[in-house]
PDB file of all heavy atoms in Angstrom:
ATOM      1  N   TYR A   7     -39.842 -14.157  15.093  1.00 95.00           N
ATOM      2  CA  TYR A   7     -40.449 -15.481  15.137  1.00 95.00           C
ATOM      3  C   TYR A   7     -40.598 -16.073  13.738  1.00 95.00           C
ATOM      4  O   TYR A   7     -40.440 -17.287  13.546  1.00 95.00           O
ATOM      5  CB  TYR A   7     -41.800 -15.430  15.839  1.00 95.00           C
ATOM      6  CG  TYR A   7     -41.689 -15.214  17.335  1.00 95.00           C
ATOM      7  CD1 TYR A   7     -42.349 -14.159  17.964  1.00 95.00           C
ATOM      8  CD2 TYR A   7     -40.903 -16.058  18.119  1.00 95.00           C
ATOM      9  CE1 TYR A   7     -42.237 -13.957  19.332  1.00 95.00           C
ATOM     10  CE2 TYR A   7     -40.784 -15.867  19.488  1.00 95.00           C
ATOM     11  CZ  TYR A   7     -41.456 -14.819  20.092  1.00 95.00           C
ATOM     12  OH  TYR A   7     -41.337 -14.628  21.436  1.00 95.00           O
ATOM     13  N   GLU A   8     -40.869 -15.233  12.760  1.00 95.00           N
ATOM     14  CA  GLU A   8     -40.969 -15.725  11.389  1.00 95.00           C
ATOM     15  C   GLU A   8     -39.621 -16.255  10.908  1.00 95.00           C
ATOM     16  O   GLU A   8     -39.561 -17.283  10.219  1.00 95.00           O
ATOM     17  CB  GLU A   8     -41.473 -14.619  10.469  1.00 95.00           C
ATOM     18  CG  GLU A   8     -42.944 -14.269  10.706  1.00 95.00           C
ATOM     19  CD  GLU A   8     -43.429 -13.099   9.870  1.00 95.00           C
ATOM     20  OE1 GLU A   8     -42.574 -12.300   9.413  1.00 95.00           O
ATOM     21  OE2 GLU A   8     -44.649 -12.979   9.690  1.00 95.00           O
ATOM     22  N   LYS A   9     -38.537 -15.577  11.293  1.00 94.00           N
ATOM     23  CA  LYS A   9     -37.202 -16.045  10.916  1.00 94.00           C
ATOM     24  C   LYS A   9     -36.872 -17.377  11.579  1.00 94.00           C
ATOM     25  O   LYS A   9     -36.045 -18.144  11.077  1.00 94.00           O
ATOM     26  CB  LYS A   9     -36.155 -14.998  11.298  1.00 94.00           C
ATOM     27  CG  LYS A   9     -36.179 -13.761  10.418  1.00 94.00           C
ATOM     28  CD  LYS A   9     -35.128 -12.750  10.858  1.00 94.00           C
ATOM     29  CE  LYS A   9     -35.173 -11.510   9.979  1.00 94.00           C
ATOM     30  NZ  LYS A   9     -34.191 -10.474  10.432  1.00 94.00           N
ATOM     31  N   CYS A  10     -37.523 -17.630  12.717  1.00 95.00           N
ATOM     32  CA  CYS A  10     -37.306 -18.898  13.426  1.00 95.00           C
ATOM     33  C   CYS A  10     -38.161 -20.020  12.849  1.00 95.00           C
ATOM     34  O   CYS A  10     -38.120 -21.153  13.350  1.00 95.00           O
ATOM     35  CB  CYS A  10     -37.616 -18.720  14.915  1.00 95.00           C
ATOM     36  SG  CYS A  10     -36.438 -17.679  15.805  1.00 95.00           S
ATOM     37  N   GLY A  11     -38.944 -19.701  11.819  1.00 95.00           N
ATOM     38  CA  GLY A  11     -39.743 -20.723  11.160  1.00 95.00           C
ATOM     39  C   GLY A  11     -41.193 -20.789  11.590  1.00 95.00           C
ATOM     40  O   GLY A  11     -41.941 -21.659  11.126  1.00 95.00           O
ATOM     41  N   MET A  12     -41.620 -19.861  12.456  1.00 96.00           N
ATOM     42  CA  MET A  12     -43.013 -19.855  12.897  1.00 96.00           C
ATOM     43  C   MET A  12     -43.906 -19.289  11.793  1.00 96.00           C
ATOM     44  O   MET A  12     -43.501 -18.380  11.062  1.00 96.00           O
ATOM     45  CB  MET A  12     -43.176 -19.013  14.168  1.00 96.00           C
ATOM     46  CG  MET A  12     -42.320 -19.455  15.343  1.00 96.00           C
ATOM     47  SD  MET A  12     -42.744 -21.081  15.999  1.00 96.00           S
ATOM     48  CE  MET A  12     -44.386 -20.767  16.646  1.00 96.00           C
ATOM     49  N   THR A  13     -45.107 -19.835  11.662  1.00 96.00           N
ATOM     50  CA  THR A  13     -46.076 -19.350  10.684  1.00 96.00           C
ATOM     51  C   THR A  13     -47.398 -19.042  11.392  1.00 96.00           C
ATOM     52  O   THR A  13     -47.638 -19.498  12.509  1.00 96.00           O
ATOM     53  CB  THR A  13     -46.321 -20.386   9.573  1.00 96.00           C
ATOM     54  OG1 THR A  13     -46.783 -21.615  10.169  1.00 96.00           O
ATOM     55  CG2 THR A  13     -45.046 -20.655   8.793  1.00 96.00           C
ATOM     56  N   THR A  14     -48.247 -18.267  10.719  1.00 94.00           N
ATOM     57  CA  THR A  14     -49.519 -17.865  11.313  1.00 94.00           C
ATOM     58  C   THR A  14     -50.510 -19.018  11.298  1.00 94.00           C
ATOM     59  O   THR A  14     -50.791 -19.601  10.255  1.00 94.00           O
ATOM     60  CB  THR A  14     -50.117 -16.670  10.554  1.00 94.00           C
ATOM     61  OG1 THR A  14     -49.204 -15.564  10.624  1.00 94.00           O
ATOM     62  CG2 THR A  14     -51.439 -16.249  11.179  1.00 94.00           C
ATOM     63  N   GLN A  15     -51.059 -19.319  12.463  1.00 94.00           N
ATOM     64  CA  GLN A  15     -52.081 -20.355  12.596  1.00 94.00           C
ATOM     65  C   GLN A  15     -53.481 -19.753  12.526  1.00 94.00           C
ATOM     66  O   GLN A  15     -54.375 -20.255  11.872  1.00 94.00           O
ATOM     67  CB  GLN A  15     -51.914 -21.089  13.928  1.00 94.00           C
ATOM     68  CG  GLN A  15     -52.915 -22.211  14.159  1.00 94.00           C
ATOM     69  CD  GLN A  15     -52.906 -22.692  15.598  1.00 94.00           C
ATOM     70  OE1 GLN A  15     -53.330 -21.981  16.501  1.00 94.00           O
ATOM     71  NE2 GLN A  15     -52.391 -23.903  15.814  1.00 94.00           N
ATOM     72  N   ARG A  16     -53.672 -18.648  13.221  1.00 89.00           N
ATOM     73  CA  ARG A  16     -54.953 -17.947  13.232  1.00 89.00           C
ATOM     74  C   ARG A  16     -54.696 -16.501  13.604  1.00 89.00           C
ATOM     75  O   ARG A  16     -53.604 -16.149  14.059  1.00 89.00           O
ATOM     76  CB  ARG A  16     -55.923 -18.578  14.240  1.00 89.00           C
ATOM     77  CG  ARG A  16     -55.433 -18.502  15.668  1.00 89.00           C
ATOM     78  CD  ARG A  16     -56.417 -19.155  16.621  1.00 89.00           C
ATOM     79  NE  ARG A  16     -55.875 -19.147  17.969  1.00 89.00           N
ATOM     80  CZ  ARG A  16     -55.907 -20.180  18.791  1.00 89.00           C
ATOM     81  NH1 ARG A  16     -56.438 -21.326  18.395  1.00 89.00           N
ATOM     82  NH2 ARG A  16     -55.415 -20.101  20.001  1.00 89.00           N
ATOM     83  N   ARG A  17     -55.695 -15.658  13.435  1.00 84.00           N
ATOM     84  CA  ARG A  17     -55.557 -14.241  13.760  1.00 84.00           C
ATOM     85  C   ARG A  17     -56.701 -13.767  14.636  1.00 84.00           C
ATOM     86  O   ARG A  17     -57.830 -14.222  14.490  1.00 84.00           O
ATOM     87  CB  ARG A  17     -55.526 -13.395  12.485  1.00 84.00           C
ATOM     88  CG  ARG A  17     -54.318 -13.646  11.607  1.00 84.00           C
ATOM     89  CD  ARG A  17     -54.286 -12.666  10.449  1.00 84.00           C
ATOM     90  NE  ARG A  17     -53.156 -12.906   9.584  1.00 84.00           N
ATOM     91  CZ  ARG A  17     -52.829 -12.125   8.566  1.00 84.00           C
ATOM     92  NH1 ARG A  17     -53.580 -11.063   8.279  1.00 84.00           N
ATOM     93  NH2 ARG A  17     -51.780 -12.397   7.810  1.00 84.00           N
ATOM     94  N   ILE A  18     -56.393 -12.860  15.542  1.00 83.00           N
ATOM     95  CA  ILE A  18     -57.421 -12.152  16.297  1.00 83.00           C
ATOM     96  C   ILE A  18     -57.555 -10.780  15.653  1.00 83.00           C
ATOM     97  O   ILE A  18     -56.589 -10.022  15.573  1.00 83.00           O
ATOM     98  CB  ILE A  18     -57.034 -12.016  17.776  1.00 83.00           C
ATOM     99  CG1 ILE A  18     -57.018 -13.401  18.435  1.00 83.00           C
ATOM    100  CG2 ILE A  18     -58.016 -11.107  18.512  1.00 83.00           C
ATOM    101  CD1 ILE A  18     -56.633 -13.387  19.890  1.00 83.00           C
ATOM    102  N   MET A  19     -58.735 -10.485  15.156  1.00 83.00           N
ATOM    103  CA  MET A  19     -58.962  -9.240  14.444  1.00 83.00           C
ATOM    104  C   MET A  19     -59.511  -8.171  15.391  1.00 83.00           C
ATOM    105  O   MET A  19     -60.024  -8.485  16.466  1.00 83.00           O
ATOM    106  CB  MET A  19     -59.944  -9.466  13.291  1.00 83.00           C
ATOM    107  CG  MET A  19     -59.621 -10.669  12.427  1.00 83.00           C
ATOM    108  SD  MET A  19     -58.048 -10.515  11.549  1.00 83.00           S
ATOM    109  CE  MET A  19     -58.545  -9.431  10.207  1.00 83.00           C
ATOM    110  N   GLU A  20     -59.409  -6.925  14.994  1.00 85.00           N
ATOM    111  CA  GLU A  20     -59.986  -5.856  15.785  1.00 85.00           C
ATOM    112  C   GLU A  20     -60.602  -4.809  14.874  1.00 85.00           C
ATOM    113  O   GLU A  20     -60.229  -4.680  13.714  1.00 85.00           O
ATOM    114  CB  GLU A  20     -58.940  -5.211  16.711  1.00 85.00           C
ATOM    115  CG  GLU A  20     -57.894  -4.378  16.015  1.00 85.00           C
ATOM    116  CD  GLU A  20     -56.934  -3.715  16.985  1.00 85.00           C
ATOM    117  OE1 GLU A  20     -57.022  -3.979  18.192  1.00 85.00           O
ATOM    118  OE2 GLU A  20     -56.082  -2.941  16.535  1.00 85.00           O
ATOM    119  N   LYS A  21     -61.549  -4.065  15.443  1.00 86.00           N
ATOM    120  CA  LYS A  21     -62.211  -3.003  14.696  1.00 86.00           C
ATOM    121  C   LYS A  21     -62.515  -1.853  15.643  1.00 86.00           C
ATOM    122  O   LYS A  21     -62.935  -2.064  16.784  1.00 86.00           O
ATOM    123  CB  LYS A  21     -63.516  -3.510  14.073  1.00 86.00           C
ATOM    124  CG  LYS A  21     -64.220  -2.449  13.222  1.00 86.00           C
ATOM    125  CD  LYS A  21     -65.396  -3.035  12.498  1.00 86.00           C
ATOM    126  CE  LYS A  21     -66.065  -1.983  11.626  1.00 86.00           C
ATOM    127  NZ  LYS A  21     -65.166  -1.450  10.582  1.00 86.00           N
ATOM    128  N   ILE A  22     -62.320  -0.635  15.144  1.00 89.00           N
ATOM    129  CA  ILE A  22     -62.641   0.554  15.930  1.00 89.00           C
ATOM    130  C   ILE A  22     -63.996   1.086  15.472  1.00 89.00           C
ATOM    131  O   ILE A  22     -64.203   1.340  14.285  1.00 89.00           O
ATOM    132  CB  ILE A  22     -61.560   1.632  15.771  1.00 89.00           C
ATOM    133  CG1 ILE A  22     -60.226   1.110  16.328  1.00 89.00           C
ATOM    134  CG2 ILE A  22     -61.972   2.915  16.494  1.00 89.00           C
ATOM    135  CD1 ILE A  22     -59.058   2.051  16.121  1.00 89.00           C
ATOM    136  N   ILE A  23     -64.913   1.202  16.405  1.00 90.00           N
ATOM    137  CA  ILE A  23     -66.258   1.672  16.103  1.00 90.00           C
ATOM    138  C   ILE A  23     -66.487   3.036  16.744  1.00 90.00           C
ATOM    139  O   ILE A  23     -66.232   3.228  17.934  1.00 90.00           O
ATOM    140  CB  ILE A  23     -67.306   0.672  16.639  1.00 90.00           C
ATOM    141  CG1 ILE A  23     -67.177  -0.673  15.896  1.00 90.00           C
ATOM    142  CG2 ILE A  23     -68.721   1.228  16.486  1.00 90.00           C
ATOM    143  CD1 ILE A  23     -68.136  -1.729  16.384  1.00 90.00           C
ATOM    144  N   LYS A  24     -66.950   3.985  15.947  1.00 94.00           N
ATOM    145  CA  LYS A  24     -67.290   5.312  16.449  1.00 94.00           C
ATOM    146  C   LYS A  24     -68.692   5.275  17.059  1.00 94.00           C
ATOM    147  O   LYS A  24     -69.631   4.792  16.423  1.00 94.00           O
ATOM    148  CB  LYS A  24     -67.244   6.341  15.319  1.00 94.00           C
ATOM    149  CG  LYS A  24     -65.845   6.592  14.755  1.00 94.00           C
ATOM    150  CD  LYS A  24     -64.984   7.360  15.740  1.00 94.00           C
ATOM    151  CE  LYS A  24     -63.636   7.728  15.120  1.00 94.00           C
ATOM    152  NZ  LYS A  24     -62.789   8.479  16.075  1.00 94.00           N
ATOM    153  N   ILE A  25     -68.806   5.793  18.276  1.00 95.00           N
ATOM    154  CA  ILE A  25     -70.088   5.756  18.986  1.00 95.00           C
ATOM    155  C   ILE A  25     -70.444   7.156  19.488  1.00 95.00           C
ATOM    156  O   ILE A  25     -69.638   7.798  20.167  1.00 95.00           O
ATOM    157  CB  ILE A  25     -70.021   4.787  20.185  1.00 95.00           C
ATOM    158  CG1 ILE A  25     -69.612   3.388  19.720  1.00 95.00           C
ATOM    159  CG2 ILE A  25     -71.362   4.749  20.914  1.00 95.00           C
ATOM    160  CD1 ILE A  25     -69.354   2.423  20.856  1.00 95.00           C
ATOM    161  N   GLU A  26     -71.636   7.602  19.155  1.00 94.00           N
ATOM    162  CA  GLU A  26     -72.116   8.894  19.638  1.00 94.00           C
ATOM    163  C   GLU A  26     -73.089   8.694  20.803  1.00 94.00           C
ATOM    164  O   GLU A  26     -73.864   7.742  20.818  1.00 94.00           O
ATOM    165  CB  GLU A  26     -72.832   9.657  18.524  1.00 94.00           C
ATOM    166  CG  GLU A  26     -71.902  10.172  17.443  1.00 94.00           C
ATOM    167  CD  GLU A  26     -72.630  11.033  16.421  1.00 94.00           C
ATOM    168  OE1 GLU A  26     -73.879  11.084  16.482  1.00 94.00           O
ATOM    169  OE2 GLU A  26     -71.964  11.635  15.569  1.00 94.00           O
ATOM    170  N   GLY A  27     -73.026   9.597  21.782  1.00 94.00           N
ATOM    171  CA  GLY A  27     -73.973   9.562  22.886  1.00 94.00           C
ATOM    172  C   GLY A  27     -73.383   9.135  24.215  1.00 94.00           C
ATOM    173  O   GLY A  27     -74.036   9.248  25.251  1.00 94.00           O
ATOM    174  N   MET A  28     -72.144   8.642  24.212  1.00 94.00           N
ATOM    175  CA  MET A  28     -71.512   8.258  25.472  1.00 94.00           C
ATOM    176  C   MET A  28     -70.993   9.523  26.172  1.00 94.00           C
ATOM    177  O   MET A  28     -70.320  10.336  25.546  1.00 94.00           O
ATOM    178  CB  MET A  28     -70.344   7.301  25.231  1.00 94.00           C
ATOM    179  CG  MET A  28     -70.732   5.967  24.639  1.00 94.00           C
ATOM    180  SD  MET A  28     -69.327   4.804  24.583  1.00 94.00           S
ATOM    181  CE  MET A  28     -68.173   5.699  23.530  1.00 94.00           C
ATOM    182  N   SER A  29     -71.292   9.656  27.457  1.00 93.00           N
ATOM    183  CA  SER A  29     -70.899  10.876  28.161  1.00 93.00           C
ATOM    184  C   SER A  29     -70.207  10.640  29.500  1.00 93.00           C
ATOM    185  O   SER A  29     -69.705  11.579  30.105  1.00 93.00           O
ATOM    186  CB  SER A  29     -72.138  11.752  28.393  1.00 93.00           C
ATOM    187  OG  SER A  29     -73.100  11.051  29.168  1.00 93.00           O
ATOM    188  N   CYS A  30     -70.182   9.378  29.969  1.00 94.00           N
ATOM    189  CA  CYS A  30     -69.610   9.130  31.288  1.00 94.00           C
ATOM    190  C   CYS A  30     -69.092   7.692  31.374  1.00 94.00           C
ATOM    191  O   CYS A  30     -69.269   6.888  30.452  1.00 94.00           O
ATOM    192  CB  CYS A  30     -70.657   9.371  32.378  1.00 94.00           C
ATOM    193  SG  CYS A  30     -72.076   8.244  32.257  1.00 94.00           S
ATOM    194  N   GLN A  31     -68.469   7.382  32.506  1.00 93.00           N
ATOM    195  CA  GLN A  31     -67.926   6.038  32.701  1.00 93.00           C
ATOM    196  C   GLN A  31     -69.022   4.982  32.742  1.00 93.00           C
ATOM    197  O   GLN A  31     -68.808   3.833  32.364  1.00 93.00           O
ATOM    198  CB  GLN A  31     -67.106   6.001  34.003  1.00 93.00           C
ATOM    199  CG  GLN A  31     -65.811   6.791  33.954  1.00 93.00           C
ATOM    200  CD  GLN A  31     -64.858   6.284  32.881  1.00 93.00           C
ATOM    201  OE1 GLN A  31     -64.810   5.086  32.591  1.00 93.00           O
ATOM    202  NE2 GLN A  31     -64.094   7.182  32.289  1.00 93.00           N
ATOM    203  N   HIS A  32     -70.195   5.377  33.183  1.00 94.00           N
ATOM    204  CA  HIS A  32     -71.324   4.435  33.205  1.00 94.00           C
ATOM    205  C   HIS A  32     -71.696   4.037  31.775  1.00 94.00           C
ATOM    206  O   HIS A  32     -71.965   2.858  31.493  1.00 94.00           O
ATOM    207  CB  HIS A  32     -72.525   5.065  33.905  1.00 94.00           C
ATOM    208  CG  HIS A  32     -73.733   4.191  33.924  1.00 94.00           C
ATOM    209  ND1 HIS A  32     -73.774   2.974  34.589  1.00 94.00           N
ATOM    210  CD2 HIS A  32     -74.967   4.338  33.345  1.00 94.00           C
ATOM    211  CE1 HIS A  32     -74.957   2.420  34.424  1.00 94.00           C
ATOM    212  NE2 HIS A  32     -75.706   3.221  33.680  1.00 94.00           N
ATOM    213  N   CYS A  33     -71.695   5.016  30.873  1.00 94.00           N
ATOM    214  CA  CYS A  33     -71.976   4.722  29.453  1.00 94.00           C
ATOM    215  C   CYS A  33     -70.925   3.761  28.903  1.00 94.00           C
ATOM    216  O   CYS A  33     -71.249   2.789  28.212  1.00 94.00           O
ATOM    217  CB  CYS A  33     -71.963   6.012  28.639  1.00 94.00           C
ATOM    218  SG  CYS A  33     -73.255   7.194  29.068  1.00 94.00           S
TER     219      CYS A  33
END
């Protein structure tokens, strides 16, 4: 897409968070 001339308008960011205490699907 960049070769076709498209440029970035905005970004969706992500972050991985470590969580202690979860033990089941309900958690």
Side-chain angles (χ1 to χ4, degrees):
Y7 288 125
E8 290 176 339
K9 288 179 181 177
C10 291
M12 302 294 294
T13 58
T14 300
Q15 181 193 69
R16 62 181 176 225
R17 295 186 181 186
I18 293 179
M19 312 296 282
E20 71 177 5
K21 183 173 182 61
I22 297 175
I23 295 178
K24 293 289 186 180
I25 303 173
E26 289 185 352
M28 296 187 300
S29 60
C30 63
Q31 291 299 327
H32 178 64
C33 296

